[in-house]
Structure formats: structure tokens, C-alpha cells
Amino acid sequence: MRRPQLDIQLKTPDQIEKMRAAGLVVAEALRRMREAVAPGVSTADLDAIAEATIREAGGVPSFKGYHGFPASICSSVNEQIVHAIPSPKQVLQAGDLISIDCGAVLDGWHGDSAITVGVGDVDPALLKMAEVAEDAMWAGIAAAARGAASGKGRLTDISHAVETAVRKGGRYGIVDGYGGHGIGTEMHQDPHVLNHGRPGKGPRLVPGMALAIEPMITMASPRTAELADGWTVVTRDGSVAAHVEHSMALLPDGVWVLTAFDGGRARLGDLVTARQPAATKTP
């Protein structure tokens, strides 16, 4: 079923269960890549880990071949914000900050998530920025859950919550033009989810909506440029960036963070649907 105007795809609880399976594949791929991040490892090495993990689970890397993208992950290092192409020539060094974005399709349903990881000994200020981005993502997810539960929530409540959390965390740039999105039988669906804005605007937040929430913030100016490869987006001033993402779905009794092993329970508590067990062993 799709809502009119923005063509928002609403999922049944059973379809969301299938998205959860895809989300767990992505979560496992990111877990393995996080463990592998170290000085001397190339972004192509990480890409190989992701593809092997996804295919081992019976899935397909959703990024590979998407509008011609040549890899299974986006591996954005330091001033690279998003969409950077993995390469054997890009070797991680101590002090780097890398954002890894990964997607998988399983039985026709998509999962999409991103993490930001420090390499070796990293400037604490950079690690704090990554933490602020993650806190902002969770604030956005919580706003969605509360908005759906009240029956009064609107899409930009998420945007406002993300922005508020970033501003509370420090003086960071919030990247414009890039953000979250609907997800389901396609990786990118309506609606686009900005990481800033006034609350109370846009379509209502209702059960069946599945969204990827993904803040992207920088240490300084949020202005961006796209490199000649047609994919890699960087900060214009060379400042370091962080990018995090989770896919989540709204159900009648709460939210389900589909790409988190615990479904979001540790960060969201009782806002999480009963379909996610209260006690889940996290790898």
C-alpha cells in the first residue's frame, strides 16, 4: 500500500519482519568491518568483507551496480562525507575517521545502515563529533516513535530532533541536500528526511512507515563538493565529517530499529515494539 502525494510505501508487520532480516545482514557486515578497521587496512579490504558477509547470508549488496556504483559499501575517510568509492589505494592510517555505509537486499527487501569509526589513536574532538552524530540519529528515531504513538507526529519532527541534538552537542556543520529516506522494496523511496528544519511539517508518522535516518555533520563548514568520480562528496574546506545511519520501521506498538542487533532497545527502551524481544544477545 502506498500513501498518495509523496508515494510513501506502507509496510505490513510481516513485511517489516522481512526488512528486519535484511537489516540484520547489514548489521553483521558492519560489525565485521568495524572489527577489521585498523591502520594498514584498505577501504577495498573492507568492501570485500561486506560483500562476502552479505552473499554468505543469501543477500545481494544493494549498492553494487546502483546507478553504476562499483562497490558494496561507501567508505568515506576524513573530509569525505558520503558515497566515496572503496579502493586498494586508500589505506587507513592512525588518526583517520572513516564512515562506512552498507546496504543489502534479502528476499526483495532492503536494509541500509552506516557507522563512523576511528582508526587507531584518533583526536578526541573527532570521536566526539561521531558520538554527537550518533546521538542525533537516535534522537530522530525517538521523535519518530513518539510522534507515531501520539498520532500527531509529522516527518519534520525527526529533522528537528536531529538538528536540536547536533546543536546541543557542539558547533558542527549539518550537511544540507543529503539526508535520510524511505526504504523498503527499493533502497531509496519517499520521503526524503532532512537533518534540520522546523517540526510539525510533512506527512504524518504512521505505522507501516520505514525510514533510514542518517545525520551527516562536519567539524566546520557544511558546504560540499562532488569529486570528479561523480560519487564522492567532500567538505569544501577540508574539515572532517561523520555519517551514521539506521533503518527503522514504525509499528502499531512502537518502533523497530531494523539494522540494530537489539532493535534499538538499549537506546530507546519501551519505545521499541514488542516484536523485538526484550533480551537479545548482541554479537
Side-chain angles (χ1 to χ4, degrees):
M1 181 172 62
R2 294 178 184 265
R3 299 189 73 193
Q5 300 174 354
L6 280 179
D7 195 24
I8 297 173
Q9 184 186 69
L10 298 182
K11 289 79 173 172
T12 67
D14 287 344
Q15 289 171 335
I16 291 171
E17 293 271 5
K18 293 181 178 180
M19 291 187 68
R20 170 61 166 168
L24 287 175
V25 172
V26 174
E28 176 61 16
L30 286 170
R31 185 189 69 81
R32 294 184 187 182
M33 285 186 282
R34 183 191 290 274
E35 290 185 350
V37 166
V41 173
S42 75
T43 54
D45 294 334
L46 298 176
D47 184 69
I49 291 170
E51 180 163 8
T53 304
I54 293 167
R55 295 196 186 280
E56 177 185 299
V60 176
S62 52
F63 293 7
K64 198 165 191 177
Y66 183 75
H67 296 294
F69 191 78
S72 298
I73 64 169
C74 300
S75 50
S76 306
V77 181
N78 296 333
E79 78 280 0
Q80 298 170 342
I81 303 169
V82 69
H83 301 160
I85 301 170
S87 169
K89 296 180 180 179
Q90 187 163 43
V91 178
L92 299 177
Q93 301 178 31
D96 285 344
L97 196 70
I98 179 172
S99 297
I100 307 170
D101 194 355
C102 182
V105 191
L106 187 67
D107 295 330
W109 295 91
H110 286 255
D112 189 7
S113 184
I115 57 175
T116 293
V117 184
V119 183
D121 189 13
V122 179
D123 183 343
L126 298 183
L127 295 178
K128 181 188 176 186
M129 175 181 62
E131 183 179 349
V132 168
E134 186 162 353
D135 287 345
M137 173 187 66
W138 285 107
I141 295 170
R146 294 190 181 99
S150 71
K152 299 177 181 179
R154 297 279 186 172
L155 183 69
T156 63
D157 296 349
I158 300 172
S159 308
H160 182 70
V162 170
E163 180 180 11
T164 300
V166 173
R167 301 300 183 212
K168 181 180 178 181
R171 299 186 65 178
Y172 302 105
I174 299 177
V175 177
D176 197 11
Y178 299 89
H181 51 87
I183 186 169
T185 51
E186 300 89 24
M187 180 167 55
H188 292 114
Q189 298 180 329
D190 285 340
H192 182 60
V193 186
L194 291 171
N195 289 314
H196 58 86
R198 295 181 178 180
K201 306 291 183 182
R204 288 195 180 278
L205 298 170
V206 297
M209 291 181 76
L211 304 169
I213 310 302
E214 52 179 320
M216 302 173 202
I217 65 176
T218 69
M219 287 294 290
S221 171
R223 297 184 67 194
T224 65
E226 186 177 272
L227 299 187
D229 62 16
W231 286 101
T232 308
V233 179
V234 300
T235 57
R236 286 199 179 188
D237 62 2
S239 62
V240 177
H243 168 212
V244 295
E245 176 184 19
H246 265 314
S247 297
M248 50 139 281
L250 298 172
L251 287 110
D253 67 337
V255 66
W256 203 352
V257 184
L258 304 171
T259 47
F261 282 116
D262 71 347
R265 184 75 65 184
R267 295 294 299 250
L268 302 174
D270 291 342
L271 291 175
V272 173
T273 174
R275 288 200 169 216
Q276 170 62 37
T280 299
K281 184 178 178 181
T282 302

